[in-house]
Amino acid sequence: MLRGLRTALIVLALACLGAGLSVTARPAFAQDQGLGLREAERSVVRIMVLHLDANDQPIALVGGSGFVVAPGKIVTNNHVVTPVEGSVRQLYYVVPDRFSGTEGKDAQLLQTWPAADLALLSAPEIAAPALKIAATPPGKEATVRALGYPGVTDSMRNLTLAKRLEPSEPYVTSGSIALFSDTAPGGAEVETIFHTAAIDHGNSGGPLIDECDRVIGVNTWGAADTLADDGQVESHQGQFAAIRSTVLAKFLDNSGVKGDIDYGPCVKAPTVDPAMAAEVDKANAAAAKALEAAQKAESDRDQILHWGVGLIALAAAVGALVMFLRWRQAAPVAAETHADGAAAPGAKKPLPIALWALLAVFVVALIGLWIMTHPKPAAVTPATAQNMTVTLVCKLDAKQSFNPVPGAASLTFGFDEPIACVNGRTPYEKNPNGGWSHITVQDKAHSVSKMELSSDKSTFTRRDFNLNDTDYAAYSAGRTSLGQLTCPIPNDAASAKSTADTLEKIRTLSASYLEVESSRVMTWHCEPQTAPAAAPTPAS
């Protein structure tokens, strides 16, 4: 089959040279995946469709692009595979990227969706990775790239048909998103992305990818040149369009193909000024050194005080002992004379006042030394579940939630409003516009989560923001450097200020990571618990 197709293609090429038959294709869609541009290129293929007449003679060769969406499954445009006039049979041929294969393979047409200009091919022998498909496109400020095999590039290099059938690298152009539209070129109601990443004939069916190399669209249209009133040809630069990945995902689902849908946003690693980073590191090191010096000075003062009180106690004890021994050796007082002239037994002097004073100093010093080495526990302990002011029972609102965690239905947690503490261990920050919020990192999911409780405590919301590996490492390190976060001690101004300062630092650290569209939104409606229940379920 493959050998016959090659022969037919070569015959067609010769016919084209003699009869002026052109190789045609139209602009196509683009998709994205988080494997890096080079990895994304491996998933992009060249599509060749040979149209045969009733006598199995080639009458047209149509070229386009496509990309792998699942093992052995390739998406392209429907217009790339649509039969041309006079053809009764089509042969489909897929040429992989040169890093994914050494030769082209036969393919079969599985499914088409003419209204959305999408088609699905099966090429089991193509060993290329599948591109991820982004459920959420980036904003207009993002860079997008179109990948494919435009015929003009082949013509500029004077590639023969045989060379075009050899695996090569796709052509890559960059641009930005110009418009999100519910109407495609031509007026069809199809979700479309207008963009400025240049495409040409042959790009049709190729992916449009975001900065995380995930498919956000399938390149399909480019504005045609027009003839102006003065006879000049007008070329409309930057007018290119791709069918959105949401339409593609629906097409795959209807075709029974399980595509790799990525619901998270594409988050770029923040750029860091090396000089500023060095200054921050220097300031952090100086602050750490100053803190260490202050702690050492405080420890030295404590040691000096302990030794001083200890020496006072020792001196008082020695002085009291010496005075007591001298008192024991003192001569008896003068004998008293009775009325009959007999001498009364001798009597010692009373204990001197100085001895009692030394004993008092010794006892006081011992008590002071014991107090210093055995600090009194704080009279007020951190908030616990027992001093929560209210226990909230919250039920998930599926209609107001997006991509919820499987199995998430309800939450039960305690909230101590005076210190804004959840379940006795997670402090929340008071929002300027009312309510409370807490930002944390989900280590397993590599995401930042922002939890918010409304001011009337009737709504609890969680929003997740996905991080790439670089962002996750930076954010996690920054979060760890802020230390352990605990609820403030009730009625303790210093503790409250310390917790508030740490929460503010976490909010500042997280700000840049929360500017993208959230990958998950979960909304619960809460009511106070009216009867005793089991231990609260952590909401954080």
Side-chain angles (χ1 to χ4, degrees), residues 115-171:
D117 203 354
L118 291 174
L120 181 67
L121 297 173
S122 174
E125 296 184 58
I126 293 294
L131 283 173
K132 286 186 178 178
I133 301 169
T136 304
K140 291 185 177 181
E141 73 284 353
T143 298
V144 297
R145 293 186 290 262
L147 284 68
Y149 295 89
V152 64
T153 306
D154 297 334
S155 299
M156 291 175 67
R157 296 181 292 170
N158 288 325
L159 294 185
T160 64
L161 182 58
K163 277 291 185 181
R164 297 181 190 188
L165 296 177
E166 294 179 359
S168 60
E169 296 180 31
Y171 194 77

Side-chain angles (χ1 to χ4, degrees), residues 77-100:
N77 278 138
N78 180 65
H79 71 254
V80 172
V81 300
T82 299
V84 300
E85 184 178 356
S87 68
V88 297
R89 191 163 69 94
Q90 291 76 40
L91 299 179
Y92 307 99
Y93 193 60
V94 175
V95 184
D97 172 84
R98 66 188 183 92
F99 290 104
S100 293

Side-chain angles (χ1 to χ4, degrees), residues 362-389:
F362 173 71
V363 171
V364 171
L366 281 183
I367 294 174
L369 190 62
W370 187 91
I371 291 175
M372 285 186 290
T373 55
H374 297 78
K376 184 179 179 182
V380 183
T381 58
T384 61
Q386 282 70 31
N387 55 30
M388 294 289 178
T389 57

Side-chain angles (χ1 to χ4, degrees), residues 5 8 50-60 84 86-91:
L5 176 59
L50 181 61
H51 297 268
L52 306 175
D53 63 15
N55 297 319
D56 266 357
Q57 294 300 308
I59 60 174
V84 300
S87 68
V88 297
R89 191 163 69 94
Q90 291 76 40
L91 299 179

